[in-house]
């Protein structure tokens, strides 16, 4: 990575040219967003020793559970937890994946460096003038002020059911996903799927390596369940682009 270790946007990106594409549907899949070497460094960091926890909800309450804690849970308690997750997913909003809340760590000054340095540098870049200026030019939205971020890992069986990201007081303008899985097939699941008013999937994006997916909030969407036969983990950095 260049300079202070921050990633670089690909040199051929023209936000003025891309803006009409984004404004047509309020969403965009943009491949090749970073310099290839920088994208590889971020992907390798996500595949390394990230301090993941299990993120899920039970009866409407969110939980972040350490992986070691989950492994040490008595089998009967684990079966009860799994059953509660599946029951909620059948009828309402539910998610199940691994996460590391990059914003919380960085904003609290808990910088770890080492193998995690590319992710920490990415967070700084997302909140710097180059990326925020690019997003303002792409979307035509001058209120863009900052990004939050978390690293996510979807393994076989993981999912995120339909929702629209519209939470009062959060001032979310856009949601984004930066994908860093080296290779992925559409039939492995893990698709970012957008729903229309009739409940159909209007469009879906494969988590292509080094691609930015960005969409206006609110917008109904989900991450389809990763198949049991998927050939790897779905790795990404995701969050919201917000105003103050």
């Amino acid at each position: 990575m260049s300079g202070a270790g921050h990633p670089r946007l690909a040199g051929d990106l023209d936000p003025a040219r891309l803006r009409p594409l984004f404004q047509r549907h309020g969403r965009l899949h943009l491949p090749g967003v970073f310099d290839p070497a920088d994208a590889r460094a971020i992907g390798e960091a996500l595949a390394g020793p990230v301090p993941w926890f299990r993120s899920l909800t039970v009866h409407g309450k969110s939980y972040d559970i350490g992986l070691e804690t989950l492994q040490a849970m008595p089998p009967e308690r684990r079966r009860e937890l799994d059953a509660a997750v599946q029951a909620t997913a059948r009828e309402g909003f539910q998610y199940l994946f691994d996460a590391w809340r990059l914003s919380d760590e960085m904003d609290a000054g808990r910088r770890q460096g080492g193998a995690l340095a590319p992710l920490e540098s990415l967070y700084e870049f997302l909140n710097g003038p180059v990326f925020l200026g690019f997003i303002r030019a792409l979307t035509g939205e001058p209120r863009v002020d900052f990004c939050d971020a978390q690293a996510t890992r979807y393994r076989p069986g993981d999912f995120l059911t339909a929702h629209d990201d519209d939470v009062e007081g959060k001032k979310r303008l856009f949601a984004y996903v930066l994908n860093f899985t080296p290779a992925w097939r559409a039939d492995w699941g893990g698709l970012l799927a957008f729903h229309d008013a009739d409940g159909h999937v209007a469009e879906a994006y494969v988590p292509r390596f080094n691609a930015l997916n960005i969409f206006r909030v609110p917008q109904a969407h989900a991450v389809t369940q990763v198949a049991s036969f998927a050939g790897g983990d779905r790795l990404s950095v995701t969050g919201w682009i917000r105003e103050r």
Side-chain angles (χ1 to χ4, degrees), residues 29-106:
H29 170 81
L30 182 59
V33 68
F34 288 119
D35 175 89
D38 295 341
R40 284 194 298 272
I42 296 168
E44 289 169 1
L46 283 170
V50 176
W52 301 110
F53 55 78
R54 202 71 169 142
S55 186
L56 53 90
T57 64
V58 178
H59 305 306
K61 185 176 180 180
S62 299
Y63 292 91
D64 294 338
I65 306 175
L67 299 187
E68 292 182 358
T69 299
L70 202 60
Q71 291 171 356
M73 189 176 291
E76 181 61 28
R77 177 71 182 104
R78 181 63 184 270
R79 285 192 292 270
E80 292 174 356
L81 178 63
D82 291 343
V85 168
Q86 299 299 320
T88 304
R90 275 192 292 273
E91 299 182 359
F93 177 61
Q94 178 61 282
Y95 52 84
L96 182 68
F97 56 84
D98 295 338
W100 180 50
R101 301 197 185 282
L102 188 53
S103 295
D104 292 350
E105 297 301 307
M106 293 290 286

Side-chain angles (χ1 to χ4, degrees), residues 6-218:
H6 293 158
R8 298 157 292 186
L9 291 177
D12 59 350
L13 296 178
D14 182 355
R17 179 180 60 84
L18 294 167
R19 186 190 300 182
L21 299 175
F22 177 80
Q23 292 180 334
R24 186 176 304 164
H25 297 292
R27 56 182 179 258
L28 182 67
H29 170 81
L30 182 59
V33 68
F34 288 119
D35 175 89
D38 295 341
R40 284 194 298 272
I42 296 168
E44 289 169 1
L46 283 170
V50 176
W52 301 110
F53 55 78
R54 202 71 169 142
S55 186
L56 53 90
T57 64
V58 178
H59 305 306
K61 185 176 180 180
S62 299
Y63 292 91
D64 294 338
I65 306 175
L67 299 187
E68 292 182 358
T69 299
L70 202 60
Q71 291 171 356
M73 189 176 291
E76 181 61 28
R77 177 71 182 104
R78 181 63 184 270
R79 285 192 292 270
E80 292 174 356
L81 178 63
D82 291 343
V85 168
Q86 299 299 320
T88 304
R90 275 192 292 273
E91 299 182 359
F93 177 61
Q94 178 61 282
Y95 52 84
L96 182 68
F97 56 84
D98 295 338
W100 180 50
R101 301 197 185 282
L102 188 53
S103 295
D104 292 350
E105 297 301 307
M106 293 290 286
D107 293 349
R110 293 190 292 266
R111 189 176 187 123
Q112 299 190 39
L116 298 177
L119 301 179
E120 295 166 342
S121 294
L122 173 62
Y123 177 73
E124 292 177 334
F125 177 76
L126 295 177
N127 284 282
V130 173
F131 184 76
L132 294 175
F134 174 79
I135 296 299
R136 293 186 193 105
L138 172 67
T139 63
E141 176 54 77
R143 293 177 296 167
V144 166
D145 192 81
F146 72 103
C147 300
D148 53 29
Q150 65 174 348
T152 67
R153 179 177 68 174
Y154 284 71
R155 295 180 286 175
D158 290 354
F159 60 88
L160 171 63
T161 63
H163 62 293
D164 66 9
D165 283 344
D166 190 13
V167 178
E168 186 176 356
K170 293 291 188 180
K171 297 187 176 181
R172 295 168 175 170
L173 300 171
F174 309 100
Y176 73 91
V177 183
L178 289 162
N179 297 288
F180 296 103
T181 304
W184 199 265
R185 291 168 52 109
D187 49 8
W188 291 356
L191 307 180
L192 176 59
F194 296 95
H195 299 179
D196 64 19
D198 294 327
H200 296 293
V201 174
E203 191 172 24
Y205 299 155
V206 171
R208 191 76 64 198
F209 180 76
N210 195 20
L212 167 66
N213 297 331
I214 180 171
F215 55 96
R216 185 177 293 115
V217 174

